[in-house]
Amino acid sequence: SFPTDSEDLFGDYDSILGDSSFLAKLDDVETSIRKQEDLGSAPHHSSDTRRSAKLNESCRENNELTDSLLTDCLNHDLLIHLPSSQLVLQQGVSDNCSPAHVETTSTPVVINSKRISNTEKDRPASKVRKSITDQLKQAMLNNASAVGTISKKDFQKEAVVTKEIGIALQAENSFNSETDLGPFFGLPSKVKDLIKKLKSIDDLYDWQKICLNLESVQQRKNLIYSLPTSGGKTLVAEILILKELLCRKKDALLILPYISLVQEKVRGLASFGLELDFMVEEYAGSKGRFPPVKKKARRSLYITTIEKGHSLVNSLIETNRLDSIGLVVVDELHMLGEGSRGAILEMTLAKVLYISKETQIIGMSATLNNIGDLQIFLKADNYTNDFRPVQLKEYVKLKDTIYEVDPKEEECFKFSRLLNFKYSGSLQKMDPDHIVALVTEVIPVHSCLVFCATKKNCENVAGMICKYLARDFLRHKEEEKSMLLAALRSSGNGIICPVLQKTVPYGVAYHHSGLTSDERKLVEEAYTSQTLCLLACTSTLAAGINLPARRVILRSPYVATDFLKRSQYKQMVGRAGRAGIDSMGESILILQEKDKLSNLVCAPMENCYSNLMHGEGRGLLSLILSLVGLNITLTLEKMREFLSGTLLGVQEAHVSPDRSLVVLVEQSVEILRKEGLISSSTDGQVSAILHITKLGRATYKGSVDLTYSNVLYRDLSKGLEGLLLNSFLHLVYLVTPYDMVPHCKPDWMIYYTQFAMLSSAEQKMLAALGVPESFLARKAAGQSVKKAWDLEVASRLYLALVLYSLLKETDLWRVSERFQLTRGFVQTLLSSSSAFCSCVLHFTEEMEELWPFKALLAELTRRLTYCVQAELIPLMEVAGVMEARAKQLYNAGYRTLTHLANADPSLLAKTVENLFKGQANQIVASAKMLLQEKAEALQEEVDDLLTKPADLPT
């Protein structure tokens, strides 16, 4: 008969999942044994025989001690009511606890973060001493298979115990999965399959396997690893990010140098996020939420630019959530040495190091001469390898001779070949450097990059090459090139660049910042698909998106008027050789003379130095302001302690030889005090407590440059006195970036013409700001102006008129033509303004008196970010979808984010012209990820609303 409700199946025996259970006590004893064994198993050298013998003796004593403890435990009264299988176990353990069964331990070997003793490694599996839990399981299995005389009550008890053991085993497996989920470097095989499917990578390079198995990686130490360009650095970082998200269940932060790289990486990893159930969030330009939405169910990978990464870290510190970031990965770590952006990167990493001791930092860097300084700063190990998937041969062209770069030679060069191109007189005059001959050796079958010193030179070189190419080039991929021209024309609303119109039919184009975002994207995609076989480009291409080539030609050793740095040279030539396509890559540097050549080609790499003192110490001022605002350090003493852990602290003797950290801190605090950004409770005292002012808080939370914080506050306050609300012009002026003003000199005739087209209210607004019609009329006529006018305000208003025209017309080409500006400059002005508008919005949120701007600037930020017809904005929110592509999608019937997220990639690729299947997959995946992100944000709001307050009065 079945037991009644009142019958206790176990008597006095508790559930084995409870704290007082038998298995729990066994686990406690087992843990005690392991701890004592670990104490006696510190690694030692085999040569130290006496020490080894002493250690083994100690281990033997520990085993005897723990086994006796175990025997005492097993003789406890608790055994009275044990099920029969556990009684069998008890007898087995008692037998094993006899001296004859005591086995010595020896030095453990660490393999994949698991401890295995040397003797156990070599000993047959059957003789390895089993854990208590394993013996319990084995005894139960033996008992279950044996025919015994067990009472029904005992059988029922044991059935429940067995069920609970299953639950315990499941819990144990779940616990282990936090650090090890499978055979692919601790990740499931599914990750390896996804890498093969989405990246077409079948196996890792040997160096990648070595790097992923480094002790520093296994023990989660900070690491800097350096390899040549195209060596496969990024994949290692991505695998480590996946381990953090899936195994340790922590968020990860990936910092990249450029917006284009952030967008590319968001698109590339969105599919991984959907398959492996984590979020991929974009923080670039004006995109990103501060602080990020707190998610209960899923982890997030934040992909950010340097500036947005700093703002994100600040917001997490402010909300005490920095420990949610388990891993920070920095690409191009050597950018620490590059101006104000290097200072921001240094601030970010210094804060993470100081506050979150559990957060791991991984840096990918070019080879540096003083990598040791970065190691000290990041408390990191270093891994360096010179691996390249494709062999690179470097050459130098001097007049008619090609020399191979060979560091072993006395002058670093050895003769390779003599050029004997049969040039006509006109061609020799047009192309004295033989660029046409050098490129036709590889194109159109292979690809070629020609790096030029200036943007104008790129266009001239592209045009010159096409002028002398054979007509056969026109027939190569003719249909694909026609489609590219149509796409370029569509992106310009019917207008196409005359240079590209001439060069694209030959498979040639130029690539520099003068292109619009749409044009740049189309050119990059066409080059990747081999529709284009040659790009004449500036150095920015080498630092940005990865576009490799069979041959790379450096037109001259200059970037603008500056002689090439060795790191820039290495980055450019590193684009030579396409993995999986080319058997080798080659670079040719064209020179007129040998001066400085050895320094460029054969000298060691440059040093990387802190830039906190860049621009009269603005980086240091910003850092100290945010440290006070975030309550990280509030005294001069603590400030000095923090700074000693920065790269500036490591390199103090070199970067600031005249002033110590003590002096730098005191001087910086005094400057901030005079600017009204901080105050102190007791002036002049070392122990004075520093406090941030409202203006100081607004400045650091808005990421506003300290140079402009007071000016911005004054302009915004003055703007409120007569804010023009029936036009965007006044608001646009207030968010026109101050640092763009020096880059544009107004054309006064155009200025006057545009002024005349404004409404009377808008003209009055300009006059109130200091630019009346009379002033513009005199400037346009070329007459002198007697009264002192603020030309900086006038220039800023001119840029505001450019932006205002863009918002009204959303046609970048026509606006560029009207103001006689390059479309690339107008594009840069637009993206800078949207980012600055976002900064000003956060600035005004901290100043009560500026409250009207909060709602106004939120909408303006959105408009400036996309600057397209309103119906296209939802589609352009998807990473990498530019205006031209958004129009194509909209016309094809994909009119909302939901449409795009639910689209069939195959159908999408067939429907939309010039869209490849891989690109369609990325667009759909990015749309799904963005939709999930928005849904989770809304769900978090719902949860917060429905959550019972913790401080509810009772």
Side-chain angles (χ1 to χ4, degrees):
S1 64
F2 290 98
T4 63
D5 289 342
S6 60
E7 184 179 353
D8 185 0
L9 288 176
F10 290 96
D12 295 329
Y13 179 67
D14 294 326
S15 162
I16 67 168
L17 292 179
D19 288 341
S20 60
S21 73
F22 177 73
L23 187 56
K25 291 190 176 185
L26 287 181
D27 283 343
D28 288 343
V29 173
E30 182 78 352
T31 302
S32 174
I33 293 170
R34 291 182 185 277
K35 282 181 180 177
Q36 293 186 57
E37 285 178 344
D38 286 346
L39 287 172
S41 56
H44 61 275
H45 298 290
S46 58
S47 60
D48 195 347
T49 314
R50 286 165 53 192
R51 184 180 171 193
S52 176
K54 188 173 180 181
L55 188 59
N56 283 335
E57 183 61 29
S58 171
C59 293
R60 198 175 292 114
E61 290 172 4
N62 281 334
N63 277 341
E64 290 171 0
L65 173 63
T66 50
D67 286 339
S68 66
L69 287 170
L70 182 59
T71 306
D72 291 342
C73 172
L74 292 174
N75 286 329
H76 193 271
D77 291 339
L78 188 67
L79 297 178
I80 296 170
H81 298 287
L82 279 184
S84 57
S85 63
Q86 294 186 28
L87 288 170
V88 173
L89 166 75
Q90 193 273 337
Q91 183 60 46
V93 172
S94 299
D95 294 341
N96 281 332
C97 286
S98 63
H101 284 81
V102 174
E103 297 182 30
T104 60
T105 59
S106 63
T107 310
V109 178
V110 178
I111 298 174
N112 293 333
S113 301
K114 296 178 182 176
R115 294 170 88 73
I116 305 170
S117 75
N118 287 333
T119 51
E120 287 180 354
K121 186 174 63 171
D122 300 325
R123 194 185 303 150
S126 60
K127 292 191 177 182
V128 176
R129 180 175 136 181
K130 294 182 179 178
S131 71
I132 311 287
T133 312
D134 289 339
Q135 291 188 56
L136 173 59
K137 294 174 198 170
Q138 189 60 48
M140 285 187 154
L141 288 170
N142 292 341
N143 191 67
S145 60
V147 180
T149 55
I150 305 173
S151 69
K152 192 168 187 179
K153 183 176 179 180
D154 286 343
F155 180 81
Q156 289 167 339
K157 281 185 180 182
E158 198 158 0
V160 178
V161 171
T162 305
K163 183 180 178 181
E164 291 199 342
I165 285 174
I167 296 170
L169 287 172
Q170 195 175 354
E172 184 181 43
N173 291 336
S174 171
F175 174 79
N176 289 338
S177 70
E178 289 181 16
T179 54
D180 194 351
L181 287 177
F184 185 66
F185 303 101
L187 289 164
S189 298
K190 183 179 181 181
V191 173
K192 186 177 181 181
D193 297 338
L194 281 173
I195 289 173
K196 183 175 181 179
K197 175 185 172 184
L198 300 173
K199 292 179 173 286
S200 302
I201 296 173
D202 293 321
D203 195 14
L204 272 61
Y205 299 126
D206 288 343
W207 83 262
Q208 291 172 326
K209 295 174 184 176
I210 292 168
C211 190
L212 287 167
N213 285 312
L214 287 173
E215 185 181 355
S216 52
V217 172
Q218 300 292 334
Q219 296 181 5
R220 298 194 73 258
K221 293 179 182 176
N222 296 343
L223 176 70
I224 301 169
Y225 62 100
S226 310
L227 276 98
T229 303
S230 306
K233 294 191 291 285
T234 307
L235 182 59
V236 170
E238 288 174 0
I239 290 172
L240 292 173
I241 286 169
L242 292 175
K243 284 191 74 171
E244 198 67 30
L245 295 165
L246 304 180
C247 301
R248 298 193 72 248
K249 308 294 185 189
K250 289 273 192 176
D251 296 334
L253 170 60
L254 173 58
I255 300 175
L256 301 169
Y258 304 110
I259 292 176
S260 59
L261 292 179
V262 169
Q263 292 174 340
E264 182 191 17
K265 193 56 66 180
V266 169
R267 289 197 308 272
L269 292 178
S271 298
F272 283 89
L274 292 172
E275 292 282 350
L276 301 171
D277 198 33
F278 63 85
M279 303 299 296
V280 179
E281 301 184 38
E282 178 184 350
Y283 280 74
S286 59
K287 291 185 179 180
R289 188 191 293 247
F290 303 103
V293 176
K294 195 173 183 178
K295 301 175 187 66
K296 297 185 181 77
R298 285 194 282 183
R299 306 322 308 173
S300 288
L301 166 58
Y302 306 110
I303 304 180
T304 78
T305 55
I306 290 171
E307 293 78 8
K308 287 290 181 179
H310 185 229
S311 298
L312 178 64
V313 166
N314 281 347
S315 70
L316 290 171
I317 292 171
E318 191 170 32
T319 51
N320 293 315
R321 287 169 51 195
L322 187 60
D323 59 353
S324 67
I325 302 285
L327 175 66
V328 176
V329 175
V330 182
D331 193 12
E332 311 289 357
L333 183 66
H334 54 269
M335 287 195 75
L336 280 165
E338 297 187 17
S340 58
R341 304 193 77 211
I344 294 170
L345 182 56
E346 184 176 343
M347 291 183 229
T348 307
L349 296 174
K351 287 173 186 174
V352 172
L353 285 165
Y354 189 81
I355 293 169
S356 182
K357 307 300 182 187
E358 294 300 313
T359 302
Q360 184 184 17
I361 296 175
I362 303 285
M364 295 178 276
S365 173
T367 306
L368 293 170
N369 201 34
N370 64 337
I371 197 79
D373 287 356
L374 271 61
Q375 282 184 255
I376 296 169
F377 165 45
L378 295 178
K379 303 176 181 63
D381 289 348
N382 180 40
Y383 176 79
T384 304
N385 198 305
D386 59 0
F387 170 81
R388 275 186 57 89
V390 178
Q391 182 189 5
L392 170 64
K393 290 192 173 181
E394 297 175 49
Y395 297 97
V396 170
K397 177 185 175 293
L398 194 62
K399 296 181 180 177
D400 291 335
T401 309
I402 299 280
Y403 297 93
E404 185 175 351
V405 176
D406 186 357
K408 296 174 185 175
E409 295 288 318
E410 188 175 340
E411 291 187 355
C412 291
F413 313 109
K414 67 177 181 181
F415 175 82
S416 177
R417 62 182 170 124
L418 197 64
L419 299 179
N420 189 23
F421 299 126
K422 296 177 181 177
Y423 267 29
S424 65
S426 62
L427 180 54
Q428 182 66 38
K429 188 176 179 180
M430 286 291 294
D431 182 25
D433 294 325
H434 305 107
I435 293 174
V436 173
L438 290 172
V439 301
T440 50
E441 286 182 339
V442 288
I443 65 169
V445 178
H446 299 290
S447 57
C448 184
L449 295 175
V450 180
F451 284 102
C452 304
T454 64
K455 289 184 279 191
K456 190 64 181 172
N457 194 223
C458 289
E459 298 176 31
N460 291 340
V461 166
M464 184 269 293
I465 290 172
C466 292
K467 189 175 180 180
Y468 293 99
L469 286 180
R471 304 289 295 176
D472 293 345
F473 279 83
L474 293 170
R475 291 190 287 274
H476 185 74
K477 299 208 171 187
E478 191 172 359
E479 186 180 343
E480 290 92 332
K481 288 184 286 196
S482 297
M483 290 171 63
L484 173 59
L485 283 171
L488 287 166
R489 190 173 288 107
S490 173
S491 74
N493 292 316
I495 305 172
I496 188 171
C497 167
V499 176
L500 290 177
Q501 190 167 17
K502 289 177 184 175
T503 63
V504 166
Y506 287 92
V508 177
Y510 66 88
H511 184 289
H512 58 59
S513 59
L515 294 171
T516 65
S517 299
D518 276 329
E519 287 175 315
R520 200 154 54 241
K521 185 113 182 86
L522 287 167
V523 166
E524 288 166 358
E525 288 174 354
Y527 180 81
T528 303
S529 64
Q530 298 177 20
T531 299
L532 296 174
C533 57
L534 185 145
L535 294 182
C537 51
T538 54
S539 60
T540 52
L541 183 139
I545 190 169
N546 185 23
L547 296 175
R550 170 63 178 267
R551 177 176 287 180
V552 169
I553 298 172
L554 279 69
R555 175 78 176 75
S556 73
Y558 288 91
V559 172
T561 56
D562 298 324
F563 195 78
L564 267 181
K565 295 178 185 174
R566 177 152 168 77
S567 56
Q568 290 173 316
Y569 167 78
K570 278 295 184 186
Q571 205 165 38
M572 290 180 190
V573 302
R575 295 295 180 210
R578 298 165 298 171
I581 300 174
D582 297 326
S583 57
M584 62 165 285
E586 52 189 20
S587 68
I588 301 173
L589 170 63
I590 298 174
L591 291 171
Q592 307 306 323
E593 52 189 32
K594 281 192 176 181
D595 291 354
K596 299 183 181 178
L597 188 54
S598 296
N599 289 339
L600 178 61
V601 178
C602 301
M605 299 298 285
E606 293 95 357
N607 292 318
C608 175
Y609 292 113
S610 169
N611 269 264
L612 285 180
M613 299 307 297
H614 174 79
E616 299 179 353
R618 281 189 298 176
L620 182 59
L621 291 169
S622 294
L623 173 59
I624 290 175
L625 180 65
S626 65
L627 291 178
V628 176
L630 293 166
N631 294 318
I632 297 173
T633 56
L634 301 177
T635 65
L636 295 179
E637 190 58 43
K638 285 289 183 183
M639 205 75 72
R640 287 193 291 270
E641 180 190 317
F642 181 96
L643 286 177
S644 66
T646 62
L647 185 58
L648 173 62
V650 174
Q651 299 175 332
E652 179 185 356
H654 184 275
V655 178
S656 181
D658 302 327
R659 293 179 290 172
S660 66
L661 284 181
V662 176
V663 174
L664 287 174
V665 168
E666 290 172 352
Q667 290 178 345
S668 299
V669 166
E670 189 56 36
I671 291 170
L672 292 171
R673 192 184 284 118
K674 284 180 179 177
E675 292 288 330
L677 300 173
I678 63 172
S679 61
S680 59
S681 53
T682 51
D683 278 348
Q685 299 298 316
V686 175
S687 59
I689 304 298
L690 300 172
H691 308 280
I692 197 161
T693 63
K694 281 201 301 179
L695 179 60
R697 184 173 297 282
T699 301
Y700 97 78
K701 292 203 68 170
S703 299
V704 175
D705 191 314
L706 296 183
T707 312
Y708 307 118
S709 60
N710 277 298
V711 180
L712 177 63
Y713 178 70
R714 186 190 66 218
D715 286 349
L716 291 170
S717 300
K718 188 179 178 183
L720 281 179
E721 295 172 10
L723 189 61
L724 185 67
L725 290 176
N726 64 351
S727 163
F728 266 121
L729 182 56
H730 199 171
L731 277 176
V732 167
Y733 166 73
L734 292 171
V735 299
T736 300
Y738 295 100
D739 57 1
M740 289 295 293
V741 174
H743 300 290
C744 179
K745 190 176 179 182
D747 182 312
W748 296 106
M749 182 56 75
I750 293 173
Y751 205 158
Y752 181 73
T753 305
Q754 293 303 309
F755 180 91
M757 295 169 66
L758 297 174
S759 67
S760 58
E762 290 169 339
Q763 288 182 355
K764 286 179 184 176
M765 187 271 292
L766 259 72
L769 289 171
V771 186
E773 184 177 8
S774 58
F775 166 74
L776 291 175
R778 293 186 72 85
K779 293 293 284 185
Q783 299 173 1
S784 60
V785 181
K786 294 178 181 177
K787 187 179 175 182
W789 299 95
D790 191 335
L791 290 178
E792 192 160 320
V793 170
S795 297
R796 192 166 174 237
L797 265 169
Y798 185 70
L799 292 179
L801 283 173
V802 176
L803 290 167
Y804 182 51
S805 299
L806 264 176
L807 284 177
K808 285 196 299 182
E809 299 179 36
T810 70
D811 190 333
L812 193 146
W813 276 84
R814 285 187 169 82
V815 170
S816 303
E817 199 173 297
R818 183 181 309 140
F819 285 88
Q820 295 296 294
L821 298 167
T822 65
R823 59 194 186 281
F825 175 81
V826 176
Q827 179 90 62
T828 303
L829 173 64
L830 182 62
S831 59
S832 297
S833 299
S834 69
F836 187 59
C837 188
S838 176
C839 292
V840 176
L841 173 59
H842 292 303
F843 181 92
T844 58
E845 285 173 345
E846 299 300 319
M847 309 291 284
E848 286 181 29
E849 62 270 35
L850 301 178
W851 64 268
F853 287 114
K854 293 180 189 176
L856 295 170
L857 293 180
E859 175 59 23
L860 183 60
T861 301
R862 187 167 176 263
R863 292 201 176 211
L864 285 171
T865 299
Y866 302 107
C867 198
V868 293
Q869 296 163 349
E871 63 266 23
L872 297 180
I873 290 178
L875 299 175
M876 288 188 67
E877 287 181 335
V878 178
V881 174
M882 303 300 176
E883 183 181 3
R885 183 72 80 208
K887 284 179 182 176
Q888 287 180 312
L889 293 168
Y890 189 86
N891 293 333
Y894 301 96
R895 303 193 170 184
T896 66
L897 182 62
T898 312
H899 278 140
L900 212 48
N902 290 284
D904 177 356
S906 301
L907 182 61
L908 195 65
K910 290 177 185 174
T911 309
V912 177
E913 193 177 13
N914 205 32
L915 180 68
F916 301 107
K917 177 74 182 296
Q919 296 166 342
N921 282 327
Q922 287 190 340
I923 287 174
V924 172
S926 297
K928 284 181 178 176
M929 183 59 68
L930 185 58
L931 199 63
Q932 288 184 8
E933 188 183 326
K934 288 179 179 248
E936 289 221 357
L938 291 171
Q939 186 60 52
E940 289 297 327
E941 285 186 38
V942 171
D943 291 345
D944 288 343
L945 286 171
L946 298 179
T947 301
K948 186 177 179 180
D951 57 350
L952 186 69
T954 56

